[in-house]
Amino acid sequence: MSNRRPYVRSMDGWWKRDPYFIRYMAREVSAVFVALYAIVLLFGLVRLGQGEAAFNGWLQYLKTPWMLVFHVIVLAVFCYHTWTWFNIMPKTMPIIFIGGKRLQPGTITGTGLAASVIACLAVLFIVRGMS
Amino acid sequence: MKRSNEPIFWSLFGAGGMLAALIGPALVFITGIAVPLGFIFAADTMSYSHMLAFSHHWLGKIVVLAVIALFMWHAAHRIHILLHDFGVHAVTTVRVLCYGGAFVGTVIAAYTLLTLKP
């Protein structure tokens, strides 16, 4: 009996087994696009430090069709990130009691999403006002 | 018991995730779509002189560094766990690559901001 190999269930593709895991993966993979966007901005900052010609090159690069398509995808992923971030927030933050009643998950998510809309509109107006 | 360094990385992850959730969509729309295509905002919104002036102001420096660095730390933490989920179990290598990448990005951003030409 010593050379019997015990059955070990494979973990390959475990996250495809359940819609909950697929949503988890979609949420976590959004980080790849956050990283790519940060790299694009870092590139722009380095170009800014190298002078006007270098920076204008970066600006021209942003206008290429591939970069525009890339940013449309990144925008969609960021919106998804905002949505999921505040949807899991009731689970990631400490439980809050107000007047003896627990702050409801829906209230936390709703407040977060509303704050996000306001913050985004504020950024758009500030940048428009500066230019 | 040895103290865990997890709270530090989790705080950076949380701060980056919150910043991205609050203003990320607006930033991507401005820098990646509206300004390159030239609508809504003035054509020179992201011109060299404007961006240089912005990055010379102390508040501008904080904004630029916060966005780039925190986005990177946020992503590094998630990608680090993601690789584990996909069955990459070289824990130390993955950590060094992910957090190291975010660290290098932060240093480059900070150095560039501090040594900008007048």
Side-chain angles (χ1 to χ4, degrees):
Chain A
M1 299 294 265
S2 61
N3 51 8
R4 270 184 61 194
R5 285 189 301 130
Y7 170 68
V8 180
R9 190 163 168 243
S10 168
M11 286 303 285
D12 290 349
W14 63 270
W15 54 275
K16 291 181 212 152
R17 285 180 201 154
D18 188 313
Y20 179 85
F21 296 154
I22 294 175
R23 284 201 300 276
Y24 163 81
M25 273 300 176
R27 188 214 311 153
E28 301 298 303
V29 168
S30 72
V32 175
F33 291 87
V34 175
L36 290 174
Y37 180 63
I39 290 168
V40 170
L41 291 185
L42 180 63
F43 216 76
L45 177 60
V46 171
R47 289 314 224 179
L48 186 72
Q50 289 172 343
E52 189 161 6
F55 187 71
N56 285 339
W58 180 73
L59 284 180
Q60 285 303 317
Y61 179 58
L62 290 184
K63 289 180 185 169
T64 57
W66 282 115
M67 281 309 278
L68 288 167
V69 170
F70 165 77
H71 277 106
V72 170
I73 297 168
V74 173
L75 178 61
V77 174
F78 265 76
C79 291
Y80 184 69
H81 167 78
T82 301
W83 176 256
T84 56
W85 185 257
F86 290 115
N87 264 288
I88 56 167
M89 214 178 148
K91 291 172 190 166
T92 51
M93 65 184 271
I95 296 169
I96 296 175
F97 288 94
I98 295 173
K101 285 174 89 176
R102 187 182 163 178
L103 191 61
Q104 289 302 305
T107 315
I108 299 169
T109 303
T111 310
L113 290 174
S116 191
V117 171
I118 293 167
C120 278
L121 288 175
V123 169
L124 292 173
F125 276 105
I126 290 168
V127 172
R128 201 170 144 76
M130 284 198 309
S131 60
Chain B
M1 202 178 93
K2 191 172 168 286
R3 273 185 181 230
S4 166
N5 56 18
E6 184 67 14
I8 299 167
F9 293 122
W10 209 90
S11 304
L12 288 166
F13 156 77
M18 185 59 89
L19 191 66
L22 286 175
I23 63 167
L27 286 181
V28 176
F29 178 72
I30 295 168
T31 69
I33 299 169
V35 172
L37 286 177
F39 62 87
I40 301 178
F41 302 98
D44 63 344
T45 302
M46 278 165 62
S47 69
Y48 177 73
S49 55
H50 277 164
M51 285 296 101
L52 196 64
F54 184 77
S55 305
H56 270 302
H57 194 277
W58 62 270
L59 193 60
K61 283 188 205 297
I62 291 174
V63 170
V64 173
L65 185 65
V67 168
I68 293 176
L70 290 179
F71 279 19
M72 284 189 166
W73 284 101
H74 167 79
H77 186 74
R78 272 197 164 163
I79 292 169
H80 152 59
I81 291 166
L82 200 60
L83 286 169
H84 171 81
D85 289 337
F86 278 123
V88 182
H89 297 303
V91 178
T92 311
T93 315
V94 167
R95 283 203 161 190
V96 167
L97 286 178
C98 289
Y99 294 143
F103 179 75
V104 169
T106 305
V107 170
I108 293 174
Y111 178 79
T112 311
L113 282 167
L114 291 174
T115 56
L116 275 181
K117 289 177 202 134

